[in-house]
Amino acid sequence: MSKKTPSDLQFSHFGLYVRDLPRMAAFYKQALRFTQTDAGDLGTVQLVFLSRDPAEHHQLVLATGRPEALPFNVVNQISFRVPDIATLRRFHDRLLAHGASDMHPVTHGNAVSIYCRDPEGNRLELFMDTPWYCEQPLREPIDIAQPDEAILAQAEAIAKRFPKFMSRAEWQAEVARRMQEDQRGD
């Protein structure tokens, strides 16, 4: 399947206000292996630019200025795709070793994910797509220590319980068709 989107609008990067810039930069560099591409001041705001893709100057920017007493974090989650369960397991262990908290391995049927919180409480999701589609939202716990085959079998069994279960390829073709229809009005 082509990675091209039917739209001229593509997501590029995300920025977070942080309280402790050195701690947060270290977490993302050590736990998730981002590379710092730049850093500096913009007026009174200090910035750190991070990327895992040499084609992107930054995929994540951290900026000073997050208030100490925020009653609510408006960022629901920041999600990262990984290629397989072995990589998901490896990052699970790295995240825990570098200060992530509130760790939850789950399946959505169409993905296997781990959710956790970074050192300032922002929710992260690392996920691996499965070959299936099923209606969302769906979230059921899994044991990430199980063999890959057992995790995938559990994810498939959960996905198959839903009436719109289909292959990811079928779902992608349907969504591509709908997106083309939505773009016709431009």
Side-chain angles (χ1 to χ4, degrees):
M1 183 186 139
S2 168
K3 294 244 182 204
K4 281 194 151 201
T5 61
S7 171
D8 58 357
L9 179 69
Q10 296 179 357
F11 182 78
S12 172
H13 58 273
F14 193 86
L16 283 177
Y17 282 112
V18 300
R19 291 183 199 102
D20 186 338
L21 186 61
R23 179 180 183 207
M24 292 294 282
F27 174 81
Y28 282 94
K29 290 188 288 189
Q30 294 166 2
L32 295 180
R33 302 261 170 119
F34 275 88
T35 296
Q36 183 172 319
T37 59
D38 263 319
D41 296 343
L42 187 61
T44 60
V45 177
Q46 295 175 314
L47 302 166
V48 171
F49 298 91
L50 303 166
S51 186
R52 288 187 47 107
D53 181 348
E56 294 288 340
H57 174 267
H58 60 280
Q59 295 171 301
L60 178 63
V61 61
L62 304 175
T64 59
R66 182 174 177 169
E68 285 298 322
L70 276 180
F72 182 80
N73 186 346
V74 297
V75 176
N76 176 271
Q77 69 192 40
I78 305 169
S79 300
F80 302 94
R81 181 178 282 115
V82 299
D84 52 41
I85 294 173
T87 305
L88 195 62
R89 243 186 238 105
R90 189 172 72 249
F91 277 111
H92 175 273
D93 296 344
R94 289 188 66 75
L95 286 160
L96 286 174
H98 291 285
S101 60
D102 198 23
M103 187 71 68
H104 298 280
V106 303
T107 183
H108 300 292
N110 65 353
V112 175
S113 302
I114 52 172
Y115 287 89
C116 64
R117 302 256 176 208
D118 74 13
E120 290 192 3
N122 299 297
R123 185 165 62 166
L124 305 177
E125 176 194 22
L126 280 76
F127 71 95
M128 180 209 81
D129 290 321
T130 67
W132 315 287
Y133 164 78
C134 64
E135 294 96 329
Q136 298 298 312
L138 165 65
R139 181 175 158 155
E140 292 197 20
I142 59 158
D143 179 356
I144 197 78
Q146 291 185 84
D148 294 7
E149 299 77 24
I151 291 171
L152 288 173
Q154 181 182 0
E156 183 178 18
I158 289 167
K160 282 184 172 178
R161 293 191 321 227
F162 292 84
K164 293 182 183 174
F165 172 81
M166 64 183 79
S167 74
R168 178 173 293 278
E170 290 172 301
W171 178 81
Q172 287 174 330
E174 171 60 20
V175 170
R177 183 192 62 73
R178 290 183 5 226
M179 286 180 176
Q180 281 183 328
E181 287 177 8
D182 289 348
Q183 298 299 321
R184 285 193 185 133
D186 289 348

